[in-house]
Amino acid sequence: GKEFLSHGYAVDPGGTLLWQPPAAGLIPKVAYAVARSESDSVAHVFSLTTRADEGLVTMTSGQAVSGILRAQVPINTMPDLIRHGRNTTLTLAIANNSTTHGASVRMILLNLEGSAVDRAEQLILPGMQREFTFGGLFDQTKFVGSLVLVSDVHIAVSARQTTVNVRGDEILTELPILTKPSGGPLLFPYIDGNGLSTQLSVVAGPEGGADSTIDFFQHDGEPLAVILR
């Protein structure tokens, strides 16, 4: 949790700031960044992680998810016809920005029916970040369901999935951190075909079951009939 680099910035109204640490900089591979606004206007912050290796370029985005007391992460590490991966690793990073209180984080693994199948608990000391693999926490690597995180102090969470395909390429995916139910209809760009596919996950909160309807539309707004796999 010790700060070793600080970067100030000023963004004009409607402007965008792009910042990337130098390749030979002091930032190690495992770290976390805290963006604090010093003005009345709060900017939107997100990150992009790029990996280029022997002609393969993968990029994944990460949103700033902090101030969390309870969150849920959808999990699907089972190989399928679309992903056809040899190995899928899920890494969970938890940061405690408090300088005075440690965070006791309870982790509850739920299956597709919402039943708890395993539990773990970890302590994050003040100002520290820790990383955990799904296999290290629950002694299994192939699972479909969700992971509930409950903390007694506010934490920041990110979840990254790395899939190794049949050619040995590593594909990065940043998983969403669900902190509150959606209040109304949501619109998602849906792409399927030509090597691309979209996976939708509906996760019910702890208050009760959720009845949902998913409608698909063509580019002109007309209803589209699709086959769900």
Side-chain angles (χ1 to χ4, degrees):
K2 182 179 180 181
E3 181 178 304
F4 56 86
L5 180 64
S6 179
H7 180 79
Y9 63 90
V11 185
D12 295 328
T16 301
L17 169 74
L18 298 179
W19 180 81
Q20 182 173 349
L26 300 176
I27 297 182
K29 293 182 179 180
V30 179
Y32 67 95
V34 179
R36 298 184 178 92
S37 177
E38 298 178 357
S39 61
D40 295 334
S41 177
V42 180
H44 299 282
V45 181
F46 68 95
S47 65
L48 288 175
T49 300
T50 305
R51 174 168 183 173
D53 187 11
E54 296 183 358
L56 174 71
V57 178
T58 61
M59 178 178 290
T60 180
S61 65
Q63 285 187 304
V65 184
S66 60
I68 293 175
L69 292 176
R70 181 186 178 93
Q72 202 159 351
V73 183
I75 295 177
N76 183 1
T77 57
M78 298 290 291
D80 55 31
L81 294 177
I82 301 299
R83 213 167 37 231
H84 59 269
R86 298 188 311 183
N87 181 40
T88 298
T89 303
L90 191 153
T91 302
L92 191 70
I94 303 176
N96 179 8
N97 193 39
S98 172
T99 58
T100 57
H101 295 86
S104 178
V105 183
R106 290 183 291 128
M107 307 176 186
I108 308 169
L109 190 62
L110 306 179
N111 59 19
L112 291 177
E113 290 72 35
S115 300
V117 296
D118 207 345
R119 298 173 184 266
E121 187 167 356
Q122 297 290 335
L123 176 65
I124 314 297
L125 296 178
M128 291 191 64
Q129 171 180 287
R130 295 184 62 187
E131 288 196 352
F132 310 94
T133 63
F134 181 75
L137 286 170
F138 301 106
D139 197 26
Q140 58 179 310
T141 57
K142 295 179 174 59
F143 184 81
V144 181
S146 65
L147 177 63
V148 175
L149 305 173
V150 181
S151 175
D152 56 348
V153 300
H154 290 97
I155 56 175
V157 180
S158 69
R160 177 167 298 172
Q161 184 169 285
T162 305
T163 299
V164 180
N165 65 16
V166 293
R167 297 188 305 176
D169 302 324
E170 289 189 351
I171 312 299
L172 303 178
T173 304
E174 197 76 21
L175 300 181
I177 307 298
L178 310 177
T179 57
K180 57 183 179 180
S182 305
L186 298 176
L187 177 64
F188 292 93
Y190 182 85
I191 303 175
D192 191 81
N194 296 324
L196 301 175
S197 66
T198 299
Q199 182 182 48
L200 297 178
S201 297
V202 180
V203 181
E207 296 80 8
D211 295 327
S212 301
T213 301
I214 301 176
D215 299 313
F216 296 88
F217 298 91
Q218 303 182 60
H219 292 289
D220 57 4
E222 293 295 321
L224 173 67
V226 298
I227 299 176
L228 299 181
R229 292 188 289 265

